[in-house]
Amino acid sequence: MGIYSPWLYYINPALFPILNNSHADFKKWISTSSDYPSAIKDFNDLRQEVQETDLGLIDMFAHNFKKYNSITTLETFDLKGHKLFKMSHGIFVKNKDYRDTGFAKLLENNNWICLNIYTGKGQAGKFIKEAKIGDFVYISYRGDNLVCIAEIISDSAPLDDDSDEMIDGGGEWVFREVKPLFYPKDKSLRDLKDDTRFFMPSGNSTFYEVPKDLSDINKKLFIPKFNIELNNAGKSDQNTNITNNNMESQPLNQILYGPPGTGKTYNSIDRAVKIATGKSGLHAANKIEFDKLRKEGQIEFVTFHQGYAYEDFMVGVKPNVDSEKLTFKPHKGIFYNLVDRAKQNYLASRDKRSLSKSFEEVFENLMAPLDERKNVKIKMLSEKEFEITAVDGNTIRFDKPTGGNTHTLSVDTLKSFVEGKREVNGLTAYYNPLIQLVKEGMASADAADMPVEELKKFVLIIDEINRANISKVFGELITLLEDDKRIGGDNELAVTLPNGELNFSIPPNLYIIGTMNTADKSISLIDVALRRRFEFIGYYPDVKILKDEYEDRIDLLQKLNEAIFTRKKTADYLIGHGYFMKTETTDQIILHKIIPLLMEYFSGRVDEVQEILKQAGKEVQYNTSIFKWEFDSKITAGNESTAE
């Protein structure tokens, strides 16, 4: 049935599963028969069990089952030769719990660790001089609670007088700034009270170096409390990095999906930074790192929309605004350019060489005499010379040896020749010597004294990925996205692009994160071909996030979603916690955010929206004299509206 099951699936995706040889491990795991009629029943039983309306996601999971089945939840982190210290903050103000003091809040808000310079046993010297920027520290409140694992990012500096006065007894205190990387899943240290070794939380020390053998502290502290295993293998080999599990710790293609307000775009930033840097911190710190990596070209962000096309994403043509006549010039899209940067980094790292100078850098240097109003003379194979007189945007103007100047060259075409993406055809007498000069300039960066390029991970975030015609935007890229079709994969593939560029392929150090709003059914659905190449990660309302600051809104959100789910029978239309994490009053949020959303969900049926809000404890009515929603307390006979 491997040939016919996809056709049956297209006819009825809620009934017929897709079955082929790639599902063998999955079918064995769920003990289903290879007989298709029996498999239909087994797969539909499974679909109902996991509350999935479409068998497409189960097909995607079955297709990738071998990979999923090997995933472990334990994370690993390499200190790369850096030292690891313990930092235990004690009591700064007598008769007060550490966490209740203003000084504790100062340290937390600034990501500081702090020590008195007279702390004994040489600890102050280790804090000020021995611990270097780039070393790591785990932080605790005495031996009671864990704070985080962090990277030291500044030298020591004295506290100012205002901060000093917040501590009983004053004295001379120094601090260092850290970058939080990992937070504990279990903060309590009650079960480790009996372990009083100096490097453990309950040990009689404030700042102490952890032994290089991390096996014991991993077993007792980091694995059970942080779900992470630290190692210190030193700087790893670049070729190993390309193929080891560290490269595969995150899926290459993933889509964060769920109803609105559940933090999909918010979390895509955190995920992108973790992929690119291997580290995870607070969202505010991640956003700073995210902006930095965007400027450096390691992360890109794009929002799909109905007018977005392949020509915007990959390659196409755009009007040439530098020309007086209506002409067009080649255009390279955001995905094409990011693939290019990732591929250059991957190949240089794999081959243990420095990164070549860019075409743009070499070409600009070659054309530098034009800035001084001097022509650039280029020797041809015939020993004659032609002279470049100007570069206008994408156009190279030149005088032939005979004096003619009717022809021009293209910068983009020259670049594609240099990079081997197109074969030279036409004006070869002029292109070939330029190609040779640029290649020589780019190769000069591979000198022995240049540093070897380190492997980086590049990330593209596609917000609202299903708002565009996805098959049309991705085109032939759909095949190349698969893990095993990328450069170095078991089934590596390259394609010829519509612009004639040869051997286009995608490297394994490029990651794609998409976001998808499940409530918007007016836009394109993800087709099966794309589903199979992405891993789907659901985001749903999480009332725990509202605790503390917005705790009074938890019950309202829960009841709203219960009422919606009862009517819709799906989680696609729930309301996310993000709607209630606003400074506006709860009533303002309901009037201006929740009611418009419910009216869209239920096709403008006022009575139904009114009943949902009533079930959530909110008496709201639609005032037909002014055609506005108001709370019952504001509605009186014949009033003229007081709703904002």
Side-chain angles (χ1 to χ4, degrees):
M1 287 300 297
I3 298 174
Y4 302 108
S5 62
W7 294 103
L8 292 171
Y9 169 82
Y10 281 119
I11 293 170
N12 189 340
L15 175 62
F16 296 112
I18 297 175
L19 287 185
N20 53 46
N21 291 336
S22 69
H23 297 156
D25 289 324
F26 179 74
K27 288 191 292 183
K28 184 178 179 181
W29 181 61
I30 64 171
S31 302
T32 188
S33 171
S34 296
D35 175 57
Y36 192 68
S38 300
I40 292 175
K41 181 181 183 304
D42 292 340
F43 270 68
N44 276 278
D45 288 344
L46 177 62
R47 178 178 63 80
Q48 292 175 12
E49 182 70 25
V50 299
Q51 298 182 349
E52 176 56 51
T53 57
D54 187 333
L55 285 163
L57 278 179
I58 296 177
D59 164 53
M60 183 274 293
F61 182 83
H63 180 72
N64 292 283
F65 177 74
K66 185 176 289 187
K67 178 169 61 177
Y68 290 144
N69 202 30
S70 65
I71 292 174
T72 174
T73 57
L74 180 66
E75 292 187 56
T76 61
F77 183 75
D78 188 2
L79 302 179
K80 294 187 176 179
H82 290 286
K83 293 180 179 179
L84 173 66
F85 295 86
K86 160 201 170 179
M87 179 76 234
S88 178
H89 285 136
I91 298 175
F92 293 108
V93 180
K94 292 178 182 176
N95 302 321
K96 263 199 172 185
D97 184 273
Y98 166 82
R99 289 159 293 183
D100 294 333
T101 65
F103 188 71
K105 292 180 174 60
L106 177 73
L107 296 184
E108 182 178 347
N109 292 339
N110 290 284
N111 289 327
W112 288 351
I113 52 176
C114 188
L115 191 78
N116 190 292
I117 64 170
Y118 297 112
T119 304
K121 302 176 185 175
Q123 295 176 92
K126 289 183 172 67
F127 184 90
I128 296 169
K129 295 180 180 179
E130 189 171 319
K132 306 296 183 184
I133 293 176
D135 285 342
F136 299 89
V137 58
Y138 82 88
I139 307 169
S140 67
Y141 299 145
R142 297 189 295 173
D144 299 323
N145 288 286
L146 286 167
V147 182
C148 67
I149 300 171
E151 179 182 0
I152 299 173
I153 61 174
S154 80
D155 291 318
S156 63
L159 284 176
D160 57 41
D161 293 338
D162 291 339
S163 302
D164 221 12
E165 289 177 4
M166 300 171 73
I167 308 172
D168 279 350
E172 295 182 47
W173 294 77
V174 289
F175 72 94
R176 301 189 70 162
E177 187 178 358
V178 299
K179 179 182 178 181
L181 301 177
F182 305 99
Y183 291 91
K185 293 175 172 47
D186 178 10
K187 294 181 179 180
S188 175
L189 292 167
R190 197 172 303 149
D191 54 335
L192 293 175
K193 283 289 186 183
D194 293 336
D195 193 334
T196 57
R197 287 174 292 178
F198 286 125
F199 60 88
M200 293 297 286
S202 294
N204 186 21
S205 61
T206 303
F207 190 79
Y208 201 87
E209 184 178 354
V210 176
K212 288 183 170 55
D213 182 0
L214 299 171
S215 56
D216 188 47
I217 195 169
N218 270 326
K219 181 179 178 181
K220 291 192 172 183
L221 181 66
F222 296 130
I223 292 176
K225 302 298 182 182
F226 290 88
N227 196 35
I228 191 165
E229 182 177 21
L230 302 183
N231 60 65
N232 211 339
K235 193 170 182 179
S236 51
D237 181 80
Q238 293 297 322
N239 272 338
T240 303
N241 270 348
I242 292 170
T243 56
N244 69 8
N245 289 332
N246 189 39
M247 176 63 84
E248 299 172 358
S249 60
Q250 290 276 352
L252 287 173
N253 311 310
Q254 58 185 295
I255 289 178
L256 315 184
Y257 71 99
T262 49
K264 299 178 292 296
T265 304
Y266 180 95
N267 281 282
S268 71
I269 292 173
D270 295 334
R271 284 177 173 267
V273 170
K274 186 173 183 180
I275 289 170
T277 66
K279 301 172 185 177
S280 179
L282 294 173
H283 180 77
N286 286 342
K287 183 59 170 66
I288 294 171
E289 186 70 15
F290 174 83
D291 292 337
K292 173 176 169 284
L293 293 171
R294 278 197 74 188
K295 288 180 180 178
E296 294 173 355
Q298 196 172 341
I299 292 177
E300 290 286 5
F301 186 100
V302 64
T303 301
F304 277 8
H305 52 81
Q306 287 90 337
Y308 205 76
Y310 178 89
E311 291 77 10
D312 303 303
F313 194 57
M314 268 295 292
V315 293
V317 292
K318 297 280 185 182
N320 185 1
V321 296
D322 298 320
S323 174
E324 295 178 359
K325 298 179 180 179
L326 178 59
T327 58
F328 295 88
K329 62 180 180 181
H331 169 75
K332 303 293 194 304
I334 189 170
F335 187 72
Y336 180 96
N337 289 321
L338 189 61
V339 168
D340 191 49
R341 292 195 293 273
K343 188 187 296 185
Q344 288 185 42
N345 167 263
Y346 173 80
L347 295 176
S349 172
R350 183 193 65 183
D351 299 339
K352 292 189 175 182
R353 57 175 173 80
S354 60
L355 193 63
S356 300
K357 288 182 182 178
S358 69
F359 169 86
E360 289 75 14
E361 183 182 357
V362 173
F363 184 74
E364 184 178 348
N365 291 336
L366 192 60
M367 298 297 114
L370 295 176
D371 295 335
E372 301 175 4
R373 298 186 178 180
K374 296 179 181 178
N375 292 347
V376 179
K377 296 182 178 180
I378 307 294
K379 183 175 288 188
M380 305 166 69
L381 294 177
S382 63
E383 297 298 324
K384 295 180 181 180
E385 291 182 342
F386 70 91
E387 296 187 11
I388 295 175
T389 58
V391 177
D392 299 328
N394 190 50
T395 302
I396 304 172
R397 305 190 185 281
F398 67 96
D399 290 338
K400 297 180 179 180
T402 58
N405 58 10
T406 55
H407 291 99
T408 60
L409 307 177
S410 164
V411 176
D412 284 338
T413 301
L414 175 63
K415 182 181 179 181
S416 64
F417 291 158
V418 169
E419 295 175 348
K421 296 174 179 177
R422 288 177 59 185
E423 296 179 357
V424 183
N425 52 1
L427 297 174
T428 55
Y430 304 100
Y431 272 119
N432 282 335
L434 270 176
I435 292 169
Q436 183 177 347
L437 286 171
V438 174
K439 281 186 174 180
E440 289 173 356
M442 292 172 68
S444 67
D446 288 330
D449 58 341
M450 295 291 288
V452 172
E453 179 74 359
E454 290 192 11
L455 183 68
K456 295 178 182 178
K457 297 178 182 179
F458 293 75
V459 186
L460 174 64
I461 298 176
I462 305 175
D463 202 28
E464 306 286 0
I465 190 170
N466 59 325
R467 291 197 69 82
N469 185 330
I470 300 171
S471 297
K472 187 175 180 181
V473 171
F474 276 87
E476 68 282 337
L477 302 177
I478 289 178
T479 300
L480 301 184
L481 289 175
E482 290 191 66
D483 298 15
D484 67 329
K485 305 296 191 303
R486 299 198 181 199
I487 299 174
D490 294 338
N491 298 297
E492 178 182 340
L493 282 179
V495 299
T496 300
L497 298 180
N499 66 351
E501 181 177 321
L502 305 173
N503 300 319
F504 180 85
S505 54
I506 299 176
N509 60 333
L510 175 62
Y511 294 74
I512 299 174
I513 302 174
T515 71
M516 187 174 74
N517 183 351
T518 57
D520 195 344
K521 301 300 183 183
S522 65
I523 53 182
S524 301
L525 299 175
I526 301 290
D527 63 26
V528 176
L530 204 64
R531 277 185 181 272
R532 293 178 64 131
R533 289 156 174 88
F534 280 81
E535 296 186 16
F536 285 73
I537 301 164
Y539 277 79
Y540 293 96
D542 185 358
V543 296
K544 295 192 296 294
I545 296 175
L546 298 180
K547 283 186 177 178
D548 300 328
E549 193 171 355
Y550 305 103
E551 194 156 4
D552 58 318
R553 298 171 177 176
I554 290 177
D555 187 59
L556 172 61
L557 178 59
Q558 286 178 321
K559 289 181 177 177
L560 275 173
N561 282 329
E562 286 172 7
I564 293 170
F565 189 84
T566 299
R567 289 163 172 80
K568 289 289 190 180
K569 307 299 182 187
T570 174
D572 288 354
Y573 294 94
L574 300 182
I575 294 175
H577 48 268
Y579 281 96
F580 292 91
M581 298 173 68
K582 308 290 183 183
T583 56
E584 297 101 315
T585 66
T586 303
D587 287 355
Q588 286 175 326
I589 292 171
I590 289 173
L591 285 174
H592 304 311
K593 300 288 180 67
I594 304 304
I595 289 177
L597 189 62
L598 291 175
M599 289 292 284
E600 184 179 335
Y601 282 1
F602 295 95
S603 304
R605 295 193 292 276
V606 171
D607 292 344
E608 194 157 8
V609 172
Q610 204 166 285
E611 182 61 28
I612 289 171
L613 290 166
K614 185 177 181 180
Q615 286 182 310
K618 292 293 180 180
E619 296 286 347
V620 184
Q621 290 188 14
Y622 189 64
N623 189 335
T624 55
S625 64
I626 55 168
F627 303 103
K628 283 187 177 180
W629 286 91
E630 295 179 329
F631 287 92
D632 266 3
S633 59
K634 291 187 175 183
I635 298 175
T636 56
N639 84 355
E640 292 298 322
S641 171
T642 55
E644 296 295 329

